[in-house]
Amino acid sequence: MNVIVNGEKKDFAQEQITVTSLLKLCNVEMPEMVSVQVNGKFVDKANFESTTVDENDEVDFLYFMGGGTL
Amino acid sequence: MRGFGTNAVHGGQVRKDPHGALRPPLYDSVAFEFENSQDLELAFAGKKPAHAYSRITNPTVEEFEQRVKLLTDAFGVIAVSSGMAAIGQTIMALAQPGSNIVTSQHLFGHSLSLFENTLGRWGLQTRFADMTNPDSVSQKIDDQTRLVFLEIVTNPQLEIANIEEICAVAAQKGIPVVLDGTLTTGYLFNSKQAGVAVEVISSTKYISGGATAVGGLIIDNGVFDWGRNPGLNELSRSFGPGAFLVRLRREVYRNFGACLSPHNAWLQILGLETMALRIQKSSSNALSVAQFLQSRPEIKSVNYPGLIGSSFHKMAQSQFKKGFGGLLTFELTDKKECFKFMDNLKLVRKATNLNDNKTLIIHPASTIFSDYSLEERVRMSVSEGLIRLSVGIEDIEDITEDLSQALETL
């Protein structure tokens, strides 16, 4: 399954991936500090476990404690 | 689980130093370079966890934030340029013009001035309650209240509220409690366990220790649902428990620019490592000094929560498990006598800081509260004969000897 994470195409063996498991698969440090957009829309924190990612979805992790303009 | 002192010395390092340096390096750099334009774009969009510009984040400041996070078991921490910057930015993130905060008339003078004058001109209303009476706090909260603000030990009145009860009353109404925990600094009192939403600290004091650097901390304990704050409701849906810190990092903190300098952060990391030892020493010294002053006929009254006779002794004992802190006050007859006593001291320094390594003395009415009229100072329980003493870590015999010789000149 292909997913575009922060602009980079990634190939995963799993057929179905939740946002929570995607955070784990991508080795995201301090996932509680990351917000997630799927195809440009924010996913509620409460729905990370139940939201699944589809083939070719664009997923963005936003590191709000990090650098840049955040 | 490791103890506070162990974590203060070893914990919290953000990432391993490439050279194996035991002491975290000082990244005294304004900007950080990127390998390519796309990485810089991703960092600006928040899609790459990288430092770009030190007004927003810096590796040394982040190290300090992570150490405080570990010590306080907080959800997240933002280090700022001073304790007052921590208070100001917290309120700007939670309140709006037309809303109000519920607080006490017994506050540090500059905090009171910030609420009534500076933020008052921008449309924030300040409502006063008696923090030692949770019912009084409850009565002052209305649908425009955005936070309850209080000090862990009021300065200089040294009143102590039941923090858990205040938090319970505020929680019933969906209001976060912001606590100025400067005098306990995460060591004497655990604000998260009491239900405090945000603890603000002047890290200039106990953390800095030797009065080396001005700084402040905003600590989100992660116990409050920010979706209940009208201004953070939308952010809460996207960022969950991070909503308050996002509002700060992405807007209030970023735009005000009151960031902590990397150099100050480095000094405060150093101070943090020995803070527990210094608090223990200053607390035991302060108790001895309070008992000594109580025995002197020149002193009208002594106020220290560690004294059995203090009205707040039981409250302090139930909340502070490791000591009563280094701050005490006492009364002489009037301002003239206070000045004479202070000017005859040889070891104790006349200065406006507190929780320094050195014992410091100040006359609050003529300094910190000089912006206020006599009537207003009476309302704040800051009399003309009041002296504030911040007891340091010197040998106790030397402190009492100096106080004794100055008292004998009266």
Side-chain angles (χ1 to χ4, degrees), chain B residues 129-187:
Chain B
D130 175 4
M131 289 294 161
T132 63
N133 176 5
D135 288 340
S136 157
V137 176
S138 180
Q139 284 161 17
K140 292 290 179 182
I141 294 173
D142 66 10
D143 60 357
Q144 290 303 310
T145 303
R146 295 292 173 265
L147 63 116
V148 172
F149 181 94
L150 76 162
E151 293 171 355
I152 183 72
V153 180
T154 67
N155 173 14
Q157 302 84 4
L158 307 186
E159 284 179 3
I160 300 170
N162 185 323
I163 307 297
E164 249 183 75
E165 282 185 12
I166 298 289
C167 289
V169 159
Q172 275 174 2
K173 303 208 172 191
I175 304 297
V177 169
V178 177
L179 178 77
D180 183 337
T182 299
L183 295 186
T184 48
T185 310
Y187 177 71

Side-chain angles (χ1 to χ4, degrees), chain B residues 231-276:
Chain B
L232 294 177
N233 182 272
E234 199 178 322
L235 273 180
S236 174
R237 285 201 291 275
S238 310
F239 293 96
F244 169 66
L245 292 176
V246 171
R247 170 56 50 81
L248 283 168
R249 190 75 79 177
R250 296 183 76 153
E251 189 196 301
V252 179
Y253 170 84
R254 185 195 69 183
N255 294 352
F256 272 96
C259 56
L260 185 66
S261 85
H263 190 70
N264 283 12
W266 191 88
L267 287 167
Q268 297 200 348
I269 292 168
L270 200 61
L272 203 56
E273 295 189 3
T274 57
M275 184 183 77

Side-chain angles (χ1 to χ4, degrees), chain B residues 286-300:
Chain B
L287 182 59
S288 298
V289 168
Q291 288 165 341
F292 163 78
L293 291 172
Q294 253 190 336
S295 72
R296 294 294 302 223
E298 301 91 342
I299 308 287
K300 286 170 68 182

